[in-house]
Amino acid sequence: MAAVASLGQVGGSALPDGLARASRDEEPTVRTAGAVALGAFDDPRSVELLSNMLLDPDRDAVIRAGESLVLLSRLPNAGPAAAAALERAEPAWPVERARVFASLGVV
């Protein structure tokens, strides 16, 4: 899990393959860390992974996926895809939560 978290601190425009695997890991804490880290990569592939994570059975992973989509919507490469994904997922509670927190400057 520490390796996944450190990838998020590095960030960038090219999504590491290991991060895609982390988003589907059996362990909820790894998926949650993966959702956070995905928000640091301005890569449209992050958007698809995070959109799928909005259906994750783990509440924390879902919350972090919504927050990461909001973060990505502000970036040049992943932004358009993330904004579209947020629009499609609008009624989903994690998206609403993330947008409220973003409006408060928390995300």
Side-chain angles (χ1 to χ4, degrees):
M1 185 174 89
V4 173
S6 65
L7 283 173
Q9 292 174 354
V10 173
S13 60
L15 182 70
D17 292 334
L19 213 43
R21 286 191 301 276
S23 72
R24 298 182 302 269
D25 196 89
E26 286 185 24
E27 183 60 42
T29 56
V30 174
R31 293 193 310 273
T32 300
V36 172
L38 284 167
F41 287 91
D42 189 14
D43 185 323
R45 294 177 297 162
S46 295
V47 175
E48 182 180 350
L49 294 168
L50 289 165
S51 294
N52 291 338
M53 291 186 76
L54 291 174
L55 302 173
D56 195 282
D58 184 73
R59 182 177 181 265
D60 289 334
V62 172
I63 288 171
R64 300 303 170 235
E67 291 173 353
S68 287
L69 280 171
V70 168
L71 291 172
L72 288 177
S73 71
R74 302 174 185 153
L75 300 177
N77 295 326
L86 288 167
E87 288 300 318
R88 286 190 304 274
E90 186 68 44
W93 69 266
V95 170
E96 288 295 318
R97 179 194 178 280
R99 286 192 163 172
V100 167
F101 277 75
S103 73
L104 298 171
V106 177
V107 174

